[in-house]
Amino acid sequence: MAVTTVLGPVEPDELGRVDAHEHIFLRSPILVGDEIQDRTKVTEEVVAVRASGIDTVVDLTPIGLGRRPGWTAEVSRRSGVNIVLATGIHRAAHYPRGHWVHEIGVDELAALMTEDLTAGIDERDWQGPTPRRGTVRAGIVKLGASYHAIADPERVWLEAGARAALATGVPVAVHCEVGTAAHDVLDLLDGFGLPPARVMLAHMDRNIDVVLHDEIASRGAFLGYDTVGRTKYHADAAVIELIARITERGRQGHVLLGTDVGRNSMLRAYGGGPGMDVLGRTFLPRLRRELGADIEETVSVRNPARFLVGGPL
């Protein structure tokens, strides 16, 4: 099974090194003033990502939060980076009361996500006034849960996302706020028929609990260690130690890496940092030095290839 990128299908063994959690374009009411919507600066940022040795980026921006499918395809062509776009709905905090995502039912929402995956993403990101169907398709479903809980609307959105993923064979990434509610998310999705092996739980490195991570991996799910370079959460040394400890438990095959620099103030092209290229520029070389080339290739090449095709290769 090939992976759907913004420029078409790519075989999993051609993905190379993968950054499994980024945001190429993003705009959210909870991130006012930190929007990422400048094509020129975004292209500059992703060119730097390619120069750092990253070949594929998974953009986990879901519906209604500033997706730009046509622009993203242009960025991919100019940078040489494969980009996988998402459909889905984020956690409830990103959608204010009165937003249309609160008004439609699970059947309609699942159908909309499935359209994104099979026909093409609306160039207006389903924000109106009328759809402008594009040819760029999504290749993953992105969903979200709140801090230590799954809000009522999030349950609807998780069900819709599970349905779309089951209908199309794509994987699912779930925002776990500060790495919480992990088992609850997996239980709910499993109840909808989506097995944990099709799921990445994002931000688990914000909740550095190796026992919990071992439990999650034992269920087959992938662990998103996706705040690399984000020093306000932890030093990169903590993530390397976490990978070492999870490897001691034989769970290195469940780790995915990313930086999730979802604010313009985090991008070097906007004058901020650490930059979207921090994974390839500093972290992966350090990981190779400290834990060896095989571990680095496992978490940056083999694991994401397996995850992105929705199951074992």
Side-chain angles (χ1 to χ4, degrees), residues 90-232:
H90 211 313
R91 66 187 176 103
H94 288 277
Y95 303 95
R97 184 176 301 174
H99 193 287
W100 62 262
V101 298
H102 295 281
E103 308 299 328
I104 69 173
V106 65
D107 293 340
E108 188 176 1
L109 190 52
L112 189 152
M113 293 181 193
T114 302
E115 281 190 57
D116 275 359
L117 293 160
T118 59
I121 300 170
D122 172 29
E123 287 291 340
R124 294 183 170 128
D125 198 15
W126 300 109
Q127 300 305 293
T130 57
R132 182 183 291 166
R133 174 70 63 201
T135 59
V136 173
R137 293 187 292 137
I140 189 170
V141 174
K142 164 68 176 295
L143 304 165
S146 297
Y147 181 60
H148 278 298
I150 302 173
D152 288 342
E154 291 165 355
R155 291 177 182 274
V156 175
W157 304 337
L158 283 159
E159 181 176 358
R163 289 190 191 182
L166 288 167
T168 59
V170 303
V172 171
V174 183
H175 170 100
C176 293
E177 184 71 2
V178 200
T180 63
H183 280 300
D184 293 336
V185 166
L186 292 180
D187 290 345
L188 192 64
L189 291 174
D190 201 19
F192 296 139
L194 188 75
R198 300 270 299 277
V199 180
M200 175 186 79
L201 299 178
H203 310 314
M204 294 309 298
D205 57 333
R206 297 191 195 178
N207 183 5
I208 296 182
D209 182 337
V210 176
V211 173
L212 171 64
H213 294 195
D214 191 14
E215 292 172 354
I216 295 301
S218 73
R219 299 183 64 174
F222 288 85
L223 300 157
Y225 294 168
D226 49 17
T227 47
V228 167
R230 308 278 295 283
T231 312
K232 72 175 184 177

Side-chain angles (χ1 to χ4, degrees), residues 1 3 11-13 301-313:
M1 175 179 174
V3 176
E11 293 300 318
D13 61 357
V301 178
R302 298 179 194 131
N303 292 352
R306 194 171 76 254
F307 169 67
L308 287 169
V309 297
L313 294 175

Side-chain angles (χ1 to χ4, degrees), residues 3 5 23 54 60 113 176 197 251 255 257 266 301:
V3 176
T5 76
H23 298 281
I54 298 297
L60 293 182
M113 293 181 193
C176 293
R251 305 297 190 188
V255 174
L257 299 176
M266 297 176 180
V301 178

Side-chain angles (χ1 to χ4, degrees), residues 39-61:
R39 267 188 293 182
T40 300
K41 290 179 179 177
V42 168
T43 301
E44 178 184 339
E45 195 78 21
V46 180
V47 165
V49 169
R50 183 68 187 89
S52 77
I54 298 297
D55 306 288
T56 299
V57 166
V58 182
D59 177 352
L60 293 182
T61 306

